[in-house]
Amino acid sequence: TYELDTLSGSGVSGTVNFRKQNDETTVITLQLTGTQAGNSHAAHIHSGPAGSGGGIVLGFTPVDGATGKRVTTVTQHDDGTAITYEGLIDFDGHVNVHQSTTEMDVMIAQGNIGSNATGVESTSTDSGGDTGY
């Protein structure tokens, strides 16, 4: 589990959690606080550390502002390259959460993941919610 810090005075923060489902599949749970019903927030994993401007390697279905939660099951990067749980926890990357799918230039939360971040202990094993990628 990795922390996502608030940006742009948004008041939105949260966590991203990677859970190994099997050798090929990882369940990723984004859980945000400070979101509002009616909003839909684009979120992505980018290469490199936060602030580096690295390209998007894995996009998520937008986070629902009513729940602040998005659960996504992944087996590959957006380019089709396979990615495992071990690959994700070693990946040099970061997560960006945007104001909306039409306001991609406004980032509201961000955090390092993988090899350039320090994980935090998960306090829940619940990964409920919808899945699919």
Side-chain angles (χ1 to χ4, degrees):
T1 299
Y2 303 98
E3 297 288 338
L4 301 175
D5 298 320
T6 189
L7 293 175
S8 306
S10 68
V12 175
S13 61
T15 59
V16 59
N17 175 270
F18 301 145
R19 182 177 56 82
K20 184 175 184 173
Q21 186 169 9
N22 59 45
D23 286 344
E24 295 84 30
T25 307
T26 304
V27 177
I28 301 175
T29 303
L30 284 166
Q31 183 64 64
L32 304 175
T33 59
T35 59
Q36 296 181 3
N39 291 343
S40 181
H41 304 286
H44 310 95
I45 293 178
H46 292 254
S47 61
S52 69
I56 295 171
V57 295
L58 198 141
F60 303 109
T61 304
V63 178
D64 178 12
T67 64
K69 188 172 188 174
R70 172 58 61 202
V71 179
T72 304
T73 302
V74 299
T75 58
Q76 61 187 12
H77 292 282
D78 287 352
D79 69 2
T81 305
I83 186 69
T84 63
Y85 169 80
E86 291 80 9
L88 280 166
I89 62 171
D90 288 337
F91 185 71
D92 176 16
H94 66 281
V95 171
N96 284 341
V97 181
H98 302 271
Q99 179 65 36
S100 70
T101 57
T102 59
E103 296 176 276
M104 298 293 287
D105 57 329
V106 180
M107 290 190 297
I108 60 172
Q110 182 180 69
N112 285 314
I113 62 166
S115 66
N116 65 357
T118 302
V120 296
E121 186 172 331
S122 178
T123 58
S124 173
T125 58
D126 175 29
S127 64
D130 54 74
T131 60
Y133 178 79

